[in-house]
């Protein structure tokens, strides 16, 4: 698959990113046409240097995303490896009440990062690329990415989860994070680079 054949990224402001996406009919999952769309989604994730991508971000209206960090993630240098996986018609359920904080970015919100709180551990359920049900308990950065991608399927982008205006920053600010005032924009946010998880705001 050549890179010029890939669809463009849909970016914030497009109504397509604000829609609740429709589930994939079960009978479509094993089809070659569906498989081809999954391949394109994965190729886009790599071509655009993401660690996760959801179908509506490439103009595909469906409850599908993929995620994974297979090598070094240039946009999240501190993050550990995450096995690649497709999630079709996924669900998410927090396990326990623990939450954490991280600087999130999104291919559909170019040039920005936001300091976002989410449940630390989740139960992820959905279908894999063959239509087989899977159920995994996720924690760490994988839980974070899963929840971010899941939000896309409900028409939600991470800036709507940023609770303080100073917690939404241009990516370029992180090049000078060492020069930020002490404890700004919060103690943990000051100390956390992209890919870190913090236990306090
Ligand atoms: Ni995103």
């Amino acid at each position: 698959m050549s890179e010029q054949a890939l669809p463009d990224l849909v970016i914030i402001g497009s109504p397509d990113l604000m829609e609740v996406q429709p589930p994939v009919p079960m009978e479509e999952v094993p089809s070659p046409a569906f498989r081809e769309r999954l391949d394109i989604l994965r190729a886009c994730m790599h071509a655009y240097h993401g660690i996760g991508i959801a179908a509506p971000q490439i103009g595909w209206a469906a409850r599908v995303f993929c995620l994974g960090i297979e090598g070094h993630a240039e946009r999240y240098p501190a993050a550990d490896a995450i096995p690649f996986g497709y999630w079709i018609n996924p669900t998410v359920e927090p396990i326990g009440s623990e939450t954490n904080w991280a600087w999130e970015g999104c291919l559909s919100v170019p040039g920005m990062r936001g300091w976002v709180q989410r449940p630390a551990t989740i139960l992820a359920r959905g279908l894999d690329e063959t239509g087989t049900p899977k159920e995994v308990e996720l924690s760490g950065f994988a839980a974070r990415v899963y929840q971010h991608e899941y939000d896309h399927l409900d028409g939600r982008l991470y800036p709507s989860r940023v609770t303080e205006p100073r917690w939404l920053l241009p990516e370029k600010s992180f090049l000078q994070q060492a020069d930020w005032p002490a404890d700004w924009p919060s103690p943990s946010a000051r100390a956390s680079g992209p890919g870190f998880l913090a236990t306090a705001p």
Side-chain angles (χ1 to χ4, degrees), residues 52-54 57 104-109 148-149 152 156-158:
I53 192 168
Q57 294 184 271
E104 285 188 24
C106 180
L107 296 176
S108 294
V109 188
H148 174 111
E149 301 311 330
H152 278 293
R156 186 133 194 208
L157 298 172
Y158 82 80

Side-chain angles (χ1 to χ4, degrees), residues 34-137:
F34 185 80
R35 181 68 231 196
E36 169 79 0
R37 295 188 112 169
L38 291 181
D39 289 344
I40 291 170
L41 187 65
R42 184 181 194 166
C44 286
M45 186 181 95
H46 290 302
Y48 300 130
H49 308 290
I51 58 176
I53 192 168
Q57 294 184 271
I58 60 164
W60 178 16
R63 299 188 78 80
V64 176
F65 61 73
C66 63
L67 59 85
I69 301 180
E70 293 162 291
H72 174 73
E74 64 186 65
R75 298 181 74 241
Y76 299 89
D80 291 332
I82 300 173
F84 178 85
Y86 289 112
W87 291 89
I88 298 155
N89 297 343
T91 64
V92 61
E93 211 179 294
I95 296 176
S97 55
E98 196 188 322
T99 63
N100 56 31
W101 298 79
W103 285 110
E104 285 188 24
C106 180
L107 296 176
S108 294
V109 188
M112 303 295 293
R113 296 284 178 162
W115 185 240
V116 176
Q117 180 183 29
R118 294 188 190 268
T121 307
I122 57 162
L123 184 62
R125 284 200 187 101
L127 305 176
D128 70 9
E129 64 274 25
T130 67
T132 306
K134 56 177 175 175
E135 178 178 312
V136 189
E137 186 178 317

